[in-house]
Each structure stands twice: as C-alpha cells, then as structure tokens.
Amino acid sequence: FSFVSAPATPRISTALLVVALRCVYQTGTAPSPLGANRSPCMALLGIAANTSRAETAVAGGRTPVLGVNPVAFALPTLGEPLSADMSTTLAPMGVLWECRRAQEPLPAGCFVDADGRLTDDPEHAISAIVFGEHRGFALSLLLQALTGSLFGFPMGNEVTDTWTTGYTFIALDPAFANPDGQAAAANSRLVEQLRAAQSTDGGPLRLPSEHGRARAAATLAAGATDLPEQVLRRLQARADGDFTSD
C-alpha cells in the first residue's frame, strides 16, 4: 500500500472516509516521495487493509482458514508521515513463493505443512502462521471482517483469486476531534521520543518503514535498481496481461 501525497485540493470537512473495493490489484509498498510538499492528504490518518486467500493457520492449528490479512497505516507528523505495512503472519506468503522459486529453505518457525507441523521446506509448506498466538488471531479476525463481511465481500475459503479479494481504505481527519490542529505535532514529539530510545545493543530503535525509506532514497539517487531475472520475467508477463505465469 502507498500513502502518496496528492496535489493541493480544497479542504474537505468530512471527519471520516471509508472506501471498500473489489476487482482491483495492489503491487506492494511504496513510501510517499521523499521531500514532497505537504498536502491536505498528508494531514490525515490513513489505514488500509485487505484480505486474501485462506492461506494462514493460527498457532497450533493445521487448517488454513484466514487470509494473510495485511494492514498499513500512516500517521501525520510535521515531516514525512510515520507509516507501517505488515501482514498478520510471522512471514508473508510471498516468502514461501520466493523460496519455492529459488529452491531455498523457509525461515524457521513461520510455516506449517498439511498436518500442522512446522517446516522449512517450501514444497511441503501450505500455510503461514498468524503471529502473536491468540492476540494475533483476534487482530486477523477483525481485519478479515473489515475487508469482508462489512461490505458483503467474500471471506475465508470464499476468497479464491485477486478478483474476490476485498480492500478497505480509511481516512480520519484528526482536526475533527483535535480542532487545535496539534495531532501532527504530538506525533512528531512521539517520534522524537522513539528515536531517543535505545535498543538492547545500545543503538537507536529502527522506526517502521525507515529501512524502506532509506532504500527508496538510495534508489532514487542512483536512478536505477537491480532486478533478479525471475522478477523481471514476471513483471514482463504481467505487463503483457499474463497473470498466471510464474
């Protein structure tokens, strides 16, 4: 998901906007352009989520029922928005697919086989594991409903492909409940406190999306990026309208 700044537009007085979509496709993450001018869109708190095919099992389970159910958010600050984008599993299904293509072992403890046993073999793994045990299970259930039943969209094993996948986008205007307009400043102060905190090895904490922003900045500065051959082939196939070749 991306929360990208838009050209300046007249201010909208609505405090909450919810949009639900189906029959669309998203292509991963992309932070808002570094150094972009602030716009009304960047003053909002944004949340985005989607469901997916039933490819995840809860801790101790063997039957995949839930989707990976990723969620992303962006909080307004006085600078770049503080954003995060994550799945509700220990590792996203994309890791499984890439390990199959590369014939490499899976990260330990993140996937199970058809019998619910942990495996690092990408050919035997069928499900990702929901993180956080019962707490992650509850969060994934909430996201499943927000991107499914709330709008009459499919859920669980009724989600079969890209076109039955539901997406929900929520925009909140902090000025509605905080008319003094101090939400961005308060978030900035919190960010500074987080930057001042130390990790166990004495270094600073890494904030969500910092690594991605740094990589994006380096790519923009270089004007190019390296793509593995198999990724380039898949991109070319998608550009040609082939959504089945892998």
Side-chain angles (χ1 to χ4, degrees):
F1 301 101
S2 306
F3 293 94
V4 181
S5 59
T9 56
R11 182 174 179 82
I12 299 173
S13 59
T14 303
L16 170 66
L17 176 66
V18 180
V19 177
L21 299 172
R22 270 184 57 197
C23 299
V24 296
Y25 185 70
Q26 59 90 14
T27 55
T29 63
S32 55
L34 298 176
N37 293 327
R38 292 185 58 80
S39 74
C41 291
M42 295 177 70
L44 304 179
L45 187 158
I47 303 172
N50 70 271
T51 186
S52 65
R53 292 187 298 271
E55 295 176 324
T56 70
V58 300
R62 60 183 293 182
T63 304
V65 178
L66 297 173
V68 174
N69 298 348
V71 61
F73 68 82
L75 304 179
T77 73
L78 297 178
E80 283 290 319
L82 175 62
S83 60
D85 187 343
M86 67 178 197
S87 69
T88 52
T89 52
L90 294 172
M93 287 298 292
V95 170
L96 172 57
W97 302 331
E98 289 302 321
C99 286
R100 282 179 179 171
R101 294 180 184 115
Q103 297 183 332
E104 296 177 349
L106 295 165
C110 296
F111 295 89
V112 295
D113 62 18
D115 294 319
R117 295 179 300 222
L118 292 173
T119 181
D120 63 359
D121 186 340
E123 298 302 326
H124 288 110
I126 66 165
S127 304
I129 302 175
V130 175
F131 75 83
E133 298 186 341
H134 61 284
R135 295 177 180 86
F137 183 14
L139 175 60
S140 186
L141 278 174
L142 172 61
L143 293 172
Q144 187 89 81
L146 283 176
T147 58
S149 59
L150 184 61
F151 303 101
F153 293 168
M155 297 191 298
N157 58 20
E158 296 173 355
V159 181
T160 57
D161 53 26
T162 297
W163 315 117
T164 52
T165 298
Y167 295 81
T168 299
F169 301 88
I170 302 172
L172 299 163
D173 187 354
F176 178 77
N178 187 353
D180 293 334
Q182 298 300 309
N187 290 336
S188 293
R189 292 195 299 272
L190 178 60
V191 168
E192 292 306 312
Q193 293 177 43
L194 291 170
R195 292 190 190 281
Q198 291 187 337
S199 63
T200 54
D201 61 7
L205 295 179
R206 192 179 81 183
L207 297 182
S209 295
E210 272 194 333
H211 181 62
R213 288 184 187 275
R215 292 182 62 183
T219 298
L220 289 172
T225 188
D226 292 327
L227 285 178
E229 179 63 29
Q230 64 270 26
V231 173
L232 181 59
R233 287 198 303 269
R234 293 204 303 279
L235 288 174
Q236 290 172 332
R238 301 303 182 267
D240 292 336
D242 180 359
F243 290 87
T244 58
S245 296
D246 199 28

